[in-house]
């Protein structure tokens, strides 16, 4: 019997050597020391330092849930750096690699502690953990300063992911029960056992009860889900074609979009055209045609000058969206031949397909001949040139709204921010156009009771669209009409009964497994 035990212990040494080798580069048995019972927890906290793991996990989740806004982040960097690059993807990959690295070190540490080995983190891993901690904290700090609304995005994500994060946290506690139980049994003193097991059981109890305070609009009774939100193409379908071009709007229509969104600027000679940026540098080939005027305001060009620019080649060169895929040869050829689109042509296209239109209007700068005539010029194009059906126009601009209502009755007047219902009704507002971070199922319901519908922008990710659907939104503005149109029901949708069953089964199963581990 003694010989068999010695043999088993000897055969077990290669496994421990492998763990110690990767963790501390101590591959020899004589280089290792066994830890004393009760010192394991302090050793793990002080030597391994779990803070890098926690901070890297928080940042990875935070950045991963921000995918909806990656395009805006990349264009922000383009404006500051002057060249296009998918920085958002690089940050995501780095965050994932660092989290995987620190997680592996954590697993190795837990295995060594379970074998009663003393932890000696190699200096190279100490540098690595410091880099992970520094990267995670500095990235979270930069997000809080430069992208404050991102915190609202994370809070919204909890409304759909919280039930599943709860299951994941319980699963981690089940896995941790093994080393906790092992070290509690090895401890000689009752006080040390309480110190080891007490915090673990307190956290476990908290996780068991946390669903009592959990809220998600996607947990609802069967039959109470509202209609699917309408899809409005943000500058058309910018993941499939160059934004604000005829091809982009046709792609939106092709994929069943309910409306079209754009941005309107007025040329120096009075032609309203579609352009989001104040300059032409990002979405045209102005560097080739007018290399000395790349920083000039787009509205200071004549329409004849604007017609000489190509509005599609940049799209093929930069591929501005993550995971946008490759275009067919026909689509590539079509994109290469896109030009700047006029407001008149845009409205005629929308009217011919009976699509809603909503647009931001940019007032021309000082010394522009249409500086004080811009609203009249826009109305002339809408009422006289395009003659679009008035109920298709969602009028967003708040300047001289009463004048617009008097000369162009029939528009659906839209407000770009929340306001008291009484004020909205006073100004004949029928729709709110809000940034998605302002999403609130309670506010949506209150406005709907007053016959005021809500549209949220820019919603690209299926989870965010699902949340808008469950919250009762009437429509969303999106870059991804071709993706969201295929959702037949919200993601994460379940009844309260289904969630209660999932919650109770999770708690009971985990309690049984943890009890079994401690009993054995």
């Amino acid at each position: 019997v003694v010989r068999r035990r010695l043999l088993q212990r000897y055969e077990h040494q290669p496994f421990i050597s492998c763990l110690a080798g990767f963790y501390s580069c101590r591959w020899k048995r004589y280089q290792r020391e066994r830890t004393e019972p009760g010192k394991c927890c302090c050793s793990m906290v002080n030597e391994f330092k779990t803070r890098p793991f926690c901070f890297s996990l928080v940042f990875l989740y935070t950045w991963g849930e921000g995918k909806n806004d990656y395009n805006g982040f990349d264009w922000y960097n383009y404006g500051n750096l002057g060249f296009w690059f998918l920085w958002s993807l690089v940050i995501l990959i780095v965050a994932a690699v660092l989290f995987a690295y620190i997680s592996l070190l954590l697993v190795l540490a837990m295995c060594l502690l379970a074998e009663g080995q003393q932890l000696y983190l190699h200096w190279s891993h100490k540098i690595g953990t410091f880099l992970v901690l520094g990267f995670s904290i500095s990235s979270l700090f930069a997000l809080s300063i430069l992208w404050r609304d991102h915190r609202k995005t994370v809070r919204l994500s909890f409304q759909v992911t919280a039930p599943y994060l709860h299951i994941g946290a319980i699963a981690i506690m089940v896995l941790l029960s093994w080393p906790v139980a092992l070290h509690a049994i090895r401890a000689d003193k009752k006080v040390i056992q309480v110190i080891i097991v007490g915090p673990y059981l307190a956290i476990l109890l908290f996780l068991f009860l946390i669903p009592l305070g959990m809220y998600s609009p996607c947990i609802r009774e069967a039959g109470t889900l509202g209609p699917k939100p309408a899809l409005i193409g943000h500058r058309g379908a910018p993941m499939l074609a160059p934004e604000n071009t005829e091809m982009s709007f046709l792609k939106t229509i092709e994929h069943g979009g309910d409306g079209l969104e754009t941005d309107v600027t007025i040329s120096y000679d009075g032609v309203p055209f579609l352009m989001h940026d104040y300059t032409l540098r990002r979405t045209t080939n102005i560097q080739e045609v007018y290399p000395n005027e790349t920083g000039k305001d787009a509205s200071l060009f004549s329409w004849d000058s604007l017609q000489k620019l190509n509005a599609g080649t940049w799209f093929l060169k930069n591929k501005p969206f993550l995971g946008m895929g490759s275009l067919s040869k026909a689509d590539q050829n079509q994109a290469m031949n896109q030009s700047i689109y006029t407001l008149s042509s845009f409205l005629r296209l929308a009217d011919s397909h009976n699509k809603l239109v909503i647009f931001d209007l940019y007032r021309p700068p000082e010394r522009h001949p249409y500086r004080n005539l811009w609203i009249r010029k826009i109305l002339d194009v809408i009422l006289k040139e395009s003659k679009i059906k008035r109920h298709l126009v969602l009028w967003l601009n708040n300047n001289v709204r009463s004048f617009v209502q008097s000369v162009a009755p029939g528009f659906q007047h839209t407000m770009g921010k929340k306001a008291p219902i009484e004020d909205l009704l006073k100004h004949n507002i029928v729709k709110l156009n809000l940034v998605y971070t302002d999403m609130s199922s309670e506010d949506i319901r209150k406005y709907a009771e007053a016959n005021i519908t809500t549209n949220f922008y820019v919603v690209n990710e299926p989870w965010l669209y699902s949340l808008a659907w469950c919250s009762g939104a009437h429509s969303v503005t999106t870059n991804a009409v071709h993706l969201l149109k295929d959702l037949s029901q919200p993601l994460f949708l379940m009844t309260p009964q289904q969630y209660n069953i999932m919650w109770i089964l999770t708690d009971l199963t985990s309690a049984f497994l943890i009890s079994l581990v401690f009993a054995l």
Side-chain angles (χ1 to χ4, degrees), residues 36-50:
E36 297 179 16
K39 291 186 177 181
C40 56
C41 295
C42 295
S43 174
M44 187 170 178
V45 172
N46 295 329
E47 177 69 23
F48 180 69
K49 302 183 185 298
T50 56

Side-chain angles (χ1 to χ4, degrees), residues 104 127 133 215 263 275 280 292 340 469 476 482:
L104 178 61
I127 295 175
L133 183 63
Y215 166 75
D263 314 274
M275 184 61 57
L280 302 166
N292 297 323
I340 296 176
W469 190 347
V476 300
H482 62 297

Side-chain angles (χ1 to χ4, degrees), residues 324-337:
M324 56 183 287
S326 58
L327 301 179
S328 66
K329 191 66 176 178
D331 283 346
Q332 291 182 31
N333 292 333
Q334 187 179 2
M336 290 179 62
N337 293 300

Side-chain angles (χ1 to χ4, degrees), residues 457-470:
Y457 67 92
V458 174
V459 175
N460 302 321
E461 289 299 300
W463 74 262
L464 189 55
Y465 181 66
S466 299
L467 182 61
W469 190 347
C470 293

Side-chain angles (χ1 to χ4, degrees), residues 293-368:
E293 298 182 311
T294 56
K296 185 177 177 180
D297 194 295
S299 63
L300 298 179
F301 288 86
S302 67
W303 178 241
D304 286 341
S305 299
L306 293 171
Q307 285 182 297
K308 297 176 183 178
L309 298 174
N310 184 290
T313 52
W314 71 273
F315 177 79
L316 299 175
K317 177 183 177 181
N318 293 335
K319 295 185 177 181
F321 284 89
L322 180 64
M324 56 183 287
S326 58
L327 301 179
S328 66
K329 191 66 176 178
D331 283 346
Q332 291 182 31
N333 292 333
Q334 187 179 2
M336 290 179 62
N337 293 300
Q338 293 302 298
S339 57
I340 296 176
Y341 210 39
T342 64
L343 174 62
S344 179
S345 299
F346 167 76
L347 295 175
R348 290 194 186 98
L349 178 66
D351 186 53
S352 65
H353 291 88
N354 204 39
K355 301 297 181 183
L356 295 169
V357 295
I358 183 171
F359 38 78
D360 289 316
L361 302 179
Y362 296 161
R363 187 178 184 183
E366 297 287 348
R367 299 185 302 278
H368 192 285

Side-chain angles (χ1 to χ4, degrees), residues 387-400:
K387 298 180 180 179
I388 186 175
K389 303 178 192 70
R390 295 188 183 184
H391 71 276
L392 296 177
V393 178
L394 305 180
W395 184 267
L396 182 60
N397 191 276
N398 205 38
N399 291 290
V400 295

